[in-house]
Amino acid sequence: FESYKNLTSNYLQLYGALLKKKKTNTIHDIRVCSRRLITLLNFYLSQCSSYYANNLNKILKFYFRNLSKLRDIQIQIENNQTKSIQSAEWKCFLDYLSSKEKKLKQKINELFTENSRMEIEGLMFFFKDDLKNSINNGEITINDLVSRINQQFEKCVLFLQNINIDHAVTIHNFRIEFKKFRYLYELLYPFYHRVM
């Protein structure tokens, strides 16, 4: 439960920071935190049902997708700063990206509100009870956790074996699966080693 409490606390702090200012680092950090929470929720929902987990998962994914669009633009701006100094064409491209970034920030301002933060906090609070009850009732066991980590690792190996350097999508797909493994392993690390 400590991992879950720390994750939710971190997410809500980052959400609060995002309400004040759309800093690049904050956007990056809240996306990483979202991935970790979504990984936990997906695992939970594969074993149990929960109104709160299901709705929290949907909301976090929705916000993650919107933040990803903004983050992608910000990375392109960072990567093209030097080129824009050297070339008028790159300067034009950078101006276009900056304009797009401004519009996306406006959209984020409309989506990220104090009311939405309170809704997320409520879902997190009630899901915590569902998670606790599922563990206490034996719906989720340590063996389930270990099994899921092992399954995700095997999936990573399969995606690694299918990497084709001529097809970027195969590399991207491996990275996604490896991140799922990493976040799951980080969250469930204490349980995993209890039965090893």
Side-chain angles (χ1 to χ4, degrees), residues 15-46:
Y15 194 109
L18 203 60
L19 287 175
K20 294 173 187 171
K21 198 165 183 184
K22 310 298 178 282
K23 289 185 179 177
T24 306
N25 288 346
T26 307
I27 291 167
H28 173 265
D29 291 346
I30 198 170
R31 288 176 69 246
V32 171
C33 190
S34 296
R35 279 196 191 106
R36 288 189 166 105
L37 278 166
I38 290 166
T39 298
L40 174 63
L41 289 163
N42 284 336
F43 164 70
Y44 180 86
L45 289 167
S46 73

Side-chain angles (χ1 to χ4, degrees), residues 80-105:
N80 289 292
Q81 288 286 355
T82 308
K83 291 177 184 173
S84 71
I85 296 166
Q86 301 166 352
S87 159
E89 288 81 9
W90 281 109
K91 172 79 169 71
C92 249
F93 179 58
L94 196 68
D95 289 343
Y96 163 76
L97 291 175
S98 296
S99 169
K100 198 161 182 182
E101 180 192 28
K102 189 176 178 182
K103 287 177 185 173
L104 286 169
K105 279 186 176 179

Side-chain angles (χ1 to χ4, degrees), residues 44-55:
Y44 180 86
L45 289 167
S46 73
Q47 305 291 318
C48 309
S49 62
S50 163
Y51 168 85
Y52 303 110
N54 192 46
N55 281 286

Side-chain angles (χ1 to χ4, degrees), residues 67-167:
L67 285 173
S68 293
K69 291 174 187 175
L70 177 56
R71 180 67 183 142
D72 289 345
I73 292 291
Q74 289 176 333
I75 289 169
Q76 288 184 59
I77 290 171
E78 288 169 15
N79 291 342
N80 289 292
Q81 288 286 355
T82 308
K83 291 177 184 173
S84 71
I85 296 166
Q86 301 166 352
S87 159
E89 288 81 9
W90 281 109
K91 172 79 169 71
C92 249
F93 179 58
L94 196 68
D95 289 343
Y96 163 76
L97 291 175
S98 296
S99 169
K100 198 161 182 182
E101 180 192 28
K102 189 176 178 182
K103 287 177 185 173
L104 286 169
K105 279 186 176 179
Q106 181 57 43
K107 186 177 180 183
I108 296 297
N109 281 336
E110 293 165 8
L111 292 175
F112 281 75
T113 65
E114 184 57 38
N115 285 341
S116 295
R117 193 192 74 79
M118 287 170 61
E119 180 186 5
I120 290 169
E121 188 174 11
L123 289 169
M124 287 174 169
F125 176 81
F126 289 112
F127 170 60
K128 182 182 69 176
D129 289 338
D130 284 352
L131 180 61
K132 188 175 182 179
N133 290 335
S134 295
I135 291 170
N136 290 341
N137 296 336
E139 286 181 272
I140 295 179
T141 66
I142 291 174
N143 286 336
D144 293 329
L145 308 183
V146 172
S147 176
R148 182 57 181 264
I149 291 170
N150 288 335
Q151 285 171 11
Q152 188 59 40
F153 178 75
E154 288 168 11
K155 198 171 180 182
C156 286
V157 171
L158 185 63
F159 275 79
L160 178 63
Q161 291 169 342
N162 288 322
I163 283 179
N164 180 337
I165 58 169
D166 295 324
H167 298 284

